[in-house]
Amino acid sequence: MVGIFSLVTGWPGPSGFGSTSTAEQVTQGIDGTNLTAIITGGASGIGLETSRVLALRGVHVIIGARNVKAANEAKKTILTEIETARVDVLELDLCSIRSIRAFADNFVALNLPLNILINNAGIMFCPFQLSQDGIEVQFATNHIGHFLLTELLLDKMKNTVKTTGIQGRIVNLSSIAHTHCYKNGIRFDHINAKDGYNDKRAYGQSKLANILHANELSRRLQEEGVNITVNSVHPGLIMTPLFRHSAVLMNFLKFFSFFLWKNVPQGAATTCYVALHPRLKGVTAKYFVDCNEMTPSSYARDEALARKLWDFSHKLINSVSKP
């Protein structure tokens, strides 16, 4: 009840921010001029607002996007408002292992540091289909794509930490929908099966995977003694292009629950807060809602499930990767 009250009223939590706080407000006064960030899906929706606000704070933003034309238009929009913004675009299709590897190679070739990785892109409530690599498309895009991308960029971030002394931060965009997943959390034995597929639970499964990935990666980095934090966030309910597969249903629900929905600047706030705010230094393996730490589902806190997903993800990628 407290969570619903805070969401409806915008009452701030312990961080001093709440559901009505915007990305600009939660990053006010923060200087990011010595930072470089990659934002997947940074050309539209809350990804675009995240890109804009980080650029506003001086961060060098690299937008990873499947639609390069749209991403370049987004870049122009940002530069029109912020003449000093540093924004670059690289092609990235998270549904393609080949594209992910090419993106990582292209980024490394730029010889830039990597301080922040925001795994923002995603798809939602899709009819059953397989990616070009033969993986169920929501799991492929929302989890496997980001899992592989993070792994390929991790050495770059570790080197940046070592040479600059600045803590690295990885942010996974999850969702409250992680609570609405399949029985036992992840359908390991039927991940690509059409039988039993449910578009809503498949989305919830992928968002659960985002939290489990963040937690397990955080555990491994802490064991190594690496100064990189990994957290996950729920941005809130925002009407964005993510809802293109269920726009009629979402508009109907929004009519009856208008007080629960955020605008885009509010939706990007938690991501920007976790990515940039000095208060989050050293905070890792946490789940944030409305810029405040919250407790996710029991599945999301299951360490054995996180380790199983880690191993499963590696095996899945290896099984579909071309030599």
Side-chain angles (χ1 to χ4, degrees):
M1 288 299 293
V2 175
I4 292 294
F5 175 79
S6 298
L7 178 61
V8 173
T9 63
W11 193 264
S15 69
F17 303 115
S19 62
T20 59
S21 299
T22 67
E24 285 198 25
Q25 289 171 343
V26 304
T27 59
Q28 186 66 40
I30 296 175
D31 181 8
T33 53
N34 60 341
L35 303 175
T36 300
I38 290 175
I39 304 173
T40 68
S44 64
I46 60 175
L48 173 55
E49 177 67 359
T50 301
S51 298
R52 185 189 72 83
V53 172
L54 262 61
L56 181 66
R57 302 305 176 215
V59 177
H60 185 177
V61 173
I62 311 296
I63 295 175
R66 182 172 54 182
N67 187 334
V68 174
K69 182 179 178 181
N72 280 315
E73 288 299 319
K75 175 182 175 178
K76 289 180 183 178
T77 300
I78 294 172
L79 289 172
T80 298
E81 178 190 343
I82 312 163
E83 293 182 359
T84 58
R86 295 175 294 160
V87 181
D88 289 298
V89 172
L90 290 176
E91 184 175 3
L92 172 63
D93 182 355
L94 286 162
C95 210
S96 164
I97 287 176
R98 179 175 294 179
S99 175
I100 295 163
R101 293 189 186 280
F103 173 90
D105 289 342
N106 291 334
F107 175 76
V108 171
L110 294 175
N111 199 29
L112 292 170
L114 179 58
N115 306 99
I116 302 166
L117 172 60
I118 299 177
N119 291 320
N120 164 83
I123 55 176
M124 185 179 196
F125 300 166
C126 304
F128 178 82
Q129 57 183 304
L130 298 178
S131 72
Q132 59 184 265
D133 298 307
I135 305 172
E136 188 276 307
V137 72
Q138 292 195 86
F139 194 74
T141 304
N142 297 349
H143 169 61
I144 290 295
H146 284 125
F147 180 89
L148 176 59
L149 178 66
T150 302
E151 180 170 88
L152 294 174
L153 294 172
L154 201 54
D155 281 345
K156 168 59 74 171
M157 183 173 279
K158 288 178 180 179
N159 289 335
T160 300
V161 170
K162 187 175 181 179
T163 57
T164 66
I166 300 172
Q167 183 177 76
R169 296 191 185 188
I170 299 171
V171 184
N172 281 1
L173 262 74
S174 181
S175 169
I176 193 68
H178 81 273
T179 61
H180 185 68
C181 55
Y182 292 112
K183 183 180 179 181
N184 300 322
I186 310 286
R187 293 206 310 173
F188 290 110
D189 296 331
H190 307 283
I191 203 71
N192 301 323
K194 187 173 182 179
D195 290 345
Y197 176 82
N198 177 281
D199 59 347
K200 310 299 188 297
R201 292 191 184 277
Y203 177 71
Q205 170 182 251
S206 70
K207 294 290 102 180
L208 170 62
N210 293 150
I211 301 177
L212 293 171
H213 171 219
N215 292 349
E216 179 61 12
L217 177 56
S218 175
R219 184 188 69 79
R220 290 167 178 260
L221 291 170
Q222 285 183 297
E223 280 190 353
E224 288 183 46
V226 178
N227 191 21
I228 297 174
T229 63
V230 196
N231 293 293
S232 47
V233 305
H234 165 54
L237 290 172
I238 311 103
M239 189 62 74
T240 73
L242 263 184
F243 289 111
R244 60 185 172 273
H245 293 288
S246 53
V248 174
L249 173 61
M250 290 300 106
N251 278 306
F252 176 79
L253 292 175
K254 188 175 181 181
F255 180 79
F256 291 100
S257 59
F258 63 92
F259 51 86
L260 298 177
W261 291 71
K262 296 181 177 183
N263 58 37
V264 170
Q266 293 168 344
T270 305
T271 302
C272 290
Y273 174 74
V274 175
L276 274 188
H277 207 286
R279 188 179 296 134
L280 273 293
K281 184 177 181 180
V283 176
T284 191
K286 303 298 182 183
Y287 172 67
F288 290 85
V289 180
D290 299 333
C291 299
N292 289 279
E293 185 183 333
M294 298 287 284
T295 302
S297 71
S298 56
Y299 282 143
R301 304 193 307 273
D302 189 326
E303 295 180 4
L305 186 61
R307 288 191 292 271
K308 184 176 181 179
L309 176 65
W310 184 276
D311 293 338
F312 176 83
S313 300
H314 272 293
K315 290 177 182 177
L316 184 58
I317 290 167
N318 290 337
S319 72
V320 301
S321 293
K322 304 296 187 295

